[in-house]
Amino acid sequence: MTVETRSIRERSAVGRFPSVTLAIGEENDEKKEEQDENNPKQENACRRWLRKACPCCCPHAHDDDVTETIVTGIDEFDNEEETISEKGFDSNRPEDCGTYDGFIAYVSTELLLKVRSIDLVKSKSEENRKVHHTDLYQSNNLIIRRGQKFVMWITLSRPFNPTTDQLHLELKTGSLPVVSKETHVIVPLVKQLDQNSWGSRIIEQDSTKIKLMVNSPATAVIGHYRLTVETNSTSGQFVSEHNSANDVYILFNPWCEDDVVFLHSEEERQEYVLNDVGIIYYGTMNQIGERTWDYGQFDEGILAACLFVLEKSGTPPSGWADPVNVVRVVSAMINSVDDHGVIEGNWSGNYSGGSFPTMWSGSVEILKEYHKNKGTPVKYGQCWVFGGVVTTVLRSLGIPCRTVTNFSSAHDTDVSLTTDVYLDNNLEPLEHLNSDSVWNFHVWNDCWMARPDLPPGNGGWQAVDATPQQTSQGTFRCGPASLTAIRYGQVYLKHDAAFVFAEVNSDKIYWQRNVDGTFSQIYDEKNIVGHFISTKAVGSDDRNDITNLYKHPEGSEQERIAVETACSYGTKAKAYSAPTAQDVSVHVTMEDDGPRMGDDAELTITLQNSSSENRTVNLHSQVSVMYYTGVHKATVKKDTTDIDLLPNEGKSSLNWTLDYKDYKNQLIDQAALMLTLLGRVVETRQVLATQFNFRLRTPDLIINPIGKAAVGEKMAVKISFTNPLPQVLKAVIFHVEGLGLLPPRKINYGDIDSHASVSITEHLVPTLSGKRKLLASMDCKQLTQVHGVTVPGATTLLPTAPQGGVNAENTFCVCSFTYVTVKYNTVCILFYTAVFV
């Protein structure tokens, strides 16, 4: 049979195979076709091929064995490159047959290399999740860390032939994935994986199943990816349908040395990435309190909520490969200012329409509410709430993070890198000028990463702050700022190192107004800002003082050099003139752990004269109720006294008392007070100035267990409280939660009489085994910062036995209990011993 190759213009294209070159000689007339049909032994090769290829169109009366295979080796068709191909072919549909010059052509779909199923080996107990340290996430999706290999199985419609078949994966993230921006990733099939690029390799083949090992680079964009598989063969192309069950979440990888967030210590990775419960410190430098916080970064839906926060920012996903960019976005998005972020801050004392900031005990409820309401800010939060949520988000995304508290934390508002106090000619504060402040405490975060964008040596811990205080590049955010840069006063390095430096190491400078309206510097306090910078210790619930990471020892030559270096870039660089000689000093102290709520507050003021002459001091004292941020609320007591000091180390001590009746109707939030002392030495005109912050300690919640603690078994806890105040507590609310024990729950209790004791019982059914903590807090307008927590690391929940209470070895699990009360601020529950009977 003669084959004529026609031009494209001359071909009929009625059928569905435009890539096929088919030409039939003119001698193939209808008469000959009829003869061939009546005489199968003499039918030509085309007819025989057609009968085998498409029996539905050309049946054979004596041939019941139909083979769905293209007959090759007939001289009427050219080489393998001209084989008929079709995508999405359906052998059950007659319209899948096409006509070419009077002939009907058909190709079986079985020749296509189809993807029947994808197994991502994604359960929490399987290989991928365990080696990627993502088995704690309560999610059914594959969660992996970049820069690390993972495996997957693909079931195909026929065995994979590496000589003729091709296969690659496609991963897409964001609304407009683009290959050039690495948000559309094509993962080729290669013979050898390169750790610096995407690639997949067949490591096992079993009939129609192949096992791939896939590598992602340590610079991959993190986020939520949609996965599809594309195949190419001589029979055509096939693309699998997107199935959300096969979506892949890619995170930063602190275990990968090539990732900029790599953290070398496994103990620190366990603490700063995998620990889902922590401690946040508050109070004053002399009265450090602590409260437990449920970070809950692995809780169901939290990873999705964290990625939603990134998406809500409107920043392009292509920037999410860089942890500096991600941290900047998170810092901006956790507060609601500018961009309708997660939490609305409120320091007014009026929290109607939302929750008291002190009510929150964890991040889970906040993030889920924000996600559920599609980006409506959650009401309300203050610095420790912002800090706790930042830790949750960054740990969930794979960036090592810790919550940090700075006591006596300065807020510099004019980029002077000093904390300025303006006084009139009578040494009275000029409140309208005193915009700088010193907060009793302030909570922010440290995150760990290399900083290739900064000079060498500035990697490691970076300060980041989501509390909206000052703008950074037009947005309320702060950081990441290198702690090394802060320590050495290199405030010119990004991001926001100057602001953080002022928080931890600025001098407090007192300015007095002159007759002509100008101001003169009259006093400089050097050791007033940045004390006991604290975070939870690695592997324990101890407090870790990290002040040395932020600053050199106070008063040392290195610390003074850092201050002068930093202030040379500030707006008051000339403030550092020769120091004024001092021979009189003043100090404030208190006994033990300070006054309790409901009692009179007693402090001691001590003045000392180191000169050889008598000194007389005019001393002004003033005590104010303060927001913990250092903002003044109300003055509750003022006093003035003259003190005579003898020469040569002469001392004078004053017992200073604040009665309960003077402060009981003025306290807010943290029960914070500040004593301000201002004085002048008559003989030398030396100025004395100091401010002493303290708080009134609040009582604890007592938590007692009722029943055994076992997964799936009902138990109860009894929460007890005694009102320490000689007044009624109005509209009391209790808040209880515990990861794996009890979802966040609010209990509207009502009023509690003066000095009355109350108790409530809560029932719960543990859902997760392991060491668990139950948290409880109480809030009302008259009394805040009342809370309790389980004994750290002591709650062991054992899985329940099979139905009937007996397992395969005819044993069952029993837990016995005791409880312990910690002296301050934490009342604990201890699930102690597991006994197998």
Side-chain angles (χ1 to χ4, degrees), residues 589-754:
T589 58
M590 62 184 177
E591 291 186 1
D592 300 325
D593 297 298
R596 293 177 178 269
M597 177 69 75
D599 296 339
D600 295 342
E602 295 183 355
L603 303 175
T604 300
I605 301 172
T606 302
L607 294 100
Q608 184 169 347
N609 176 18
S610 60
S611 75
S612 59
E613 299 176 355
N614 291 333
R615 294 287 184 254
T616 302
V617 178
N618 297 323
L619 188 66
H620 305 265
S621 66
Q622 171 180 303
V623 63
S624 302
V625 174
M626 306 292 292
Y627 294 97
Y628 81 95
T629 58
V631 176
H632 178 273
K633 177 182 182 289
T635 299
V636 295
K637 181 180 179 180
K638 283 186 175 183
D639 194 14
T640 302
T641 185
D642 293 337
I643 303 167
D644 295 323
L645 298 175
L646 298 175
N648 301 320
E649 303 300 326
K651 290 184 179 181
S652 179
S653 295
L654 302 176
N655 293 323
W656 181 92
T657 302
L658 175 65
D659 295 337
Y660 170 72
K661 63 180 178 61
D662 293 330
Y663 71 77
K664 68 175 183 178
N665 295 323
Q666 296 289 347
L667 292 182
I668 54 172
D669 291 354
Q670 303 286 331
L673 298 161
M674 182 174 71
L675 173 64
T676 300
L677 298 177
L678 295 171
R680 187 187 298 276
V681 179
V682 174
E683 292 81 5
T684 63
R685 309 301 294 170
Q686 175 190 345
V687 173
L688 300 175
T690 191
Q691 293 175 323
F692 183 80
N693 294 298
F694 64 101
R695 68 182 179 88
L696 303 171
R697 292 193 296 113
T698 53
D700 302 318
L701 295 182
I702 308 279
I703 308 176
N704 291 328
I706 304 172
K708 72 174 183 177
V711 172
E713 294 189 9
K714 188 175 182 179
M715 64 169 295
V717 292
K718 181 180 179 181
I719 303 171
S720 304
F721 167 75
T722 299
N723 178 9
L725 303 183
Q727 67 181 102
V728 176
L729 301 181
K730 300 285 188 179
V732 173
I733 298 174
F734 290 94
H735 188 276
V736 186
E737 70 173 286
L739 295 175
L741 296 173
L742 184 70
R745 185 178 299 173
K746 293 180 181 179
I747 305 162
N748 294 311
Y749 185 86
D751 298 345
I752 300 178
D753 290 336
S754 170

Side-chain angles (χ1 to χ4, degrees), residues 65-342:
D65 185 13
V66 179
T67 303
E68 292 186 346
T69 306
I70 296 176
V71 177
T72 59
I74 54 177
D75 57 2
E76 286 80 357
F77 293 94
D78 291 339
N79 58 30
E80 185 178 356
E81 295 179 355
E82 294 180 329
T83 303
I84 298 173
S85 64
E86 170 63 3
K87 178 180 176 181
F89 205 82
D90 188 349
S91 61
N92 296 320
R93 290 166 32 202
E95 61 265 28
D96 280 333
C97 296
T99 303
Y100 285 86
D101 291 319
F103 279 86
I104 300 173
Y106 171 79
V107 174
S108 168
T109 61
E110 290 304 313
L111 289 175
L112 287 173
L113 187 61
K114 291 186 175 181
V115 176
R116 299 297 188 195
S117 65
I118 300 172
D119 179 6
L120 294 178
V121 196
K122 61 184 180 179
S123 74
K124 291 184 287 185
S125 60
E126 290 184 293
E127 178 181 0
N128 283 333
R129 297 282 293 274
K130 285 190 171 294
V131 298
H132 283 257
H133 306 279
T134 60
D135 51 310
L136 294 176
Y137 288 87
Q138 302 299 309
S139 171
N140 293 324
N141 284 99
L142 175 62
I143 304 172
I144 61 173
R145 300 189 187 274
R146 66 183 191 176
Q148 195 168 332
K149 299 175 179 62
F150 65 95
V151 297
M152 59 186 293
W153 283 93
I154 300 177
T155 302
L156 303 168
S157 58
R158 60 172 174 79
F160 182 82
N161 185 347
T163 60
T164 59
D165 297 330
Q166 296 179 344
L167 179 147
H168 69 263
L169 313 179
E170 293 201 14
L171 292 162
K172 299 178 182 179
T173 187
S175 57
L176 294 172
V178 179
V179 172
S180 61
K181 295 183 178 180
E182 299 182 358
T183 53
H184 177 184
V185 179
I186 298 175
V187 186
L189 201 61
V190 296
K191 292 183 179 180
Q192 188 67 35
L193 294 177
D194 179 358
Q195 66 177 7
N196 297 318
S197 61
W198 284 97
S200 63
R201 182 172 67 89
I202 298 176
I203 58 175
E204 188 176 339
Q205 184 166 356
D206 180 13
S207 184
T208 59
K209 295 178 64 177
I210 58 173
K211 186 177 185 180
L212 299 181
M213 178 172 285
V214 185
N215 182 73
S216 64
T219 56
V221 172
I222 64 108
H224 175 197
Y225 284 82
R226 304 175 295 279
L227 169 68
T228 57
V229 180
E230 181 173 323
T231 67
N232 284 276
S233 65
T234 56
S235 299
Q237 182 189 55
F238 179 88
V239 179
S240 66
E241 292 185 1
H242 169 246
N243 182 350
S244 60
N246 292 328
D247 287 355
V248 179
Y249 291 84
I250 300 179
L251 310 178
F252 292 104
N253 194 350
W255 283 265
C256 174
E257 293 186 6
D258 295 326
D259 197 318
V260 290
V261 302
F262 172 69
L263 186 59
H264 67 278
S265 168
E266 178 60 27
E267 288 184 348
E268 292 186 345
R269 290 192 292 254
Q270 293 291 324
E271 180 66 48
Y272 299 133
V273 182
L274 299 183
N275 192 358
D276 57 3
V277 179
I279 292 175
I280 299 177
Y281 298 94
Y282 65 94
T284 71
M285 58 181 287
N286 299 298
Q287 299 164 285
I288 297 177
E290 63 181 53
R291 67 180 302 163
T292 304
W293 191 267
D294 277 344
Y295 295 124
Q297 67 267 33
F298 307 119
D299 205 69
E300 184 178 1
I302 292 301
L303 177 57
C306 294
L307 291 173
F308 173 77
V309 171
L310 295 184
E311 294 166 3
K312 189 72 168 51
S313 71
T315 57
S318 56
W320 300 354
D322 185 353
V324 173
N325 290 340
V326 171
V327 165
R328 294 281 282 170
V329 171
V330 171
S331 173
M333 283 299 300
I334 297 305
N335 69 74
S336 65
V337 188
D338 304 319
D339 39 30
H340 301 288
V342 178

Side-chain angles (χ1 to χ4, degrees), residues 501-574:
F501 178 90
E503 288 182 300
V504 301
N505 205 14
S506 60
D507 287 351
K508 179 181 280 189
I509 298 180
Y510 293 81
W511 303 84
Q512 186 176 26
R513 186 169 59 189
N514 301 316
V515 176
D516 60 1
T518 61
F519 285 87
S520 298
Q521 180 181 345
I522 60 172
Y523 190 67
D524 181 3
E525 280 188 302
K526 294 182 174 61
N527 186 17
I528 198 67
V529 165
H531 294 283
F532 301 107
I533 304 176
S534 303
T535 190
K536 178 185 173 299
V538 173
S540 76
D541 283 349
D542 294 336
R543 184 180 66 86
N544 183 21
D545 191 314
I546 57 172
T547 307
N548 66 308
L549 298 182
Y550 278 86
K551 58 198 290 190
H552 294 285
E554 197 70 52
S556 67
E557 184 68 17
Q558 298 97 320
E559 186 263 346
R560 286 291 93 194
I561 291 173
V563 171
E564 293 175 13
T565 300
C567 288
S568 66
Y569 295 92
T571 58
K572 292 185 175 68
K574 296 181 179 180

Side-chain angles (χ1 to χ4, degrees), residues 291-293 356-362 700-701 703 719 721 732-737 745-747 760 774-780 783-789:
R291 67 180 302 163
T292 304
W293 191 267
F356 280 59
T358 52
M359 174 67 75
W360 305 110
S361 295
D700 302 318
L701 295 182
I703 308 176
I719 303 171
F721 167 75
V732 173
I733 298 174
F734 290 94
H735 188 276
V736 186
E737 70 173 286
R745 185 178 299 173
K746 293 180 181 179
I747 305 162
I760 59 174
L774 185 69
L775 314 179
S777 63
M778 189 207 79
D779 267 303
C780 70
L783 187 63
T784 63
Q785 286 291 9
V786 178
H787 44 82
V789 63

